[in-house]
Amino acid sequence: MLATVAARPALKAITRQQARQFSMMHNLRQFARSFEPHPFQRLPVTASPAKADWGKLVKRSSKQAVVYFPLAFAILGWPWVTAQMLDGHM
């Protein structure tokens, strides 16, 4: 008796999940809602947008370029470098 009383909420949860039907209208409604911007993504009317900090952007981009371009050359250019070094020596 006690076991059936304790198992009742679990059985209700299982039957509730099984009873959920596929609804085309629900899916279309959710699809349409996905195009609506979230309230935090909307631009506020009362405040003006912040100015771009170009100095900070240039500094960050240059730091990334200092790492990116030599690494890209090392990863993509090593076959060419070895071909030039070993040309005719193998």
Side-chain angles (χ1 to χ4, degrees), residues 73-85:
F73 179 74
I75 291 171
L76 298 175
W78 72 266
W80 179 79
V81 171
T82 52
Q84 295 301 315
M85 288 174 49

Side-chain angles (χ1 to χ4, degrees), residues 44-51:
V45 177
T46 58
S48 61
K51 299 276 184 187

Side-chain angles (χ1 to χ4, degrees), residues 1-19:
M1 178 72 178
L2 188 58
T4 57
V5 172
R8 192 171 295 152
L11 289 173
K12 281 185 180 181
I14 291 172
T15 56
R16 198 176 308 129
Q17 288 175 353
Q18 290 174 348

Side-chain angles (χ1 to χ4, degrees), residues 16 21 23 30 35 46 48 51 53 57-58 60-61 67 69 77 90:
R16 198 176 308 129
Q21 296 289 325
S23 171
Q30 286 299 108
F35 290 104
T46 58
S48 61
K51 299 276 184 187
D53 188 1
L57 290 173
V58 169
R60 187 189 71 199
S61 297
V67 174
F69 289 112
M90 291 283 294

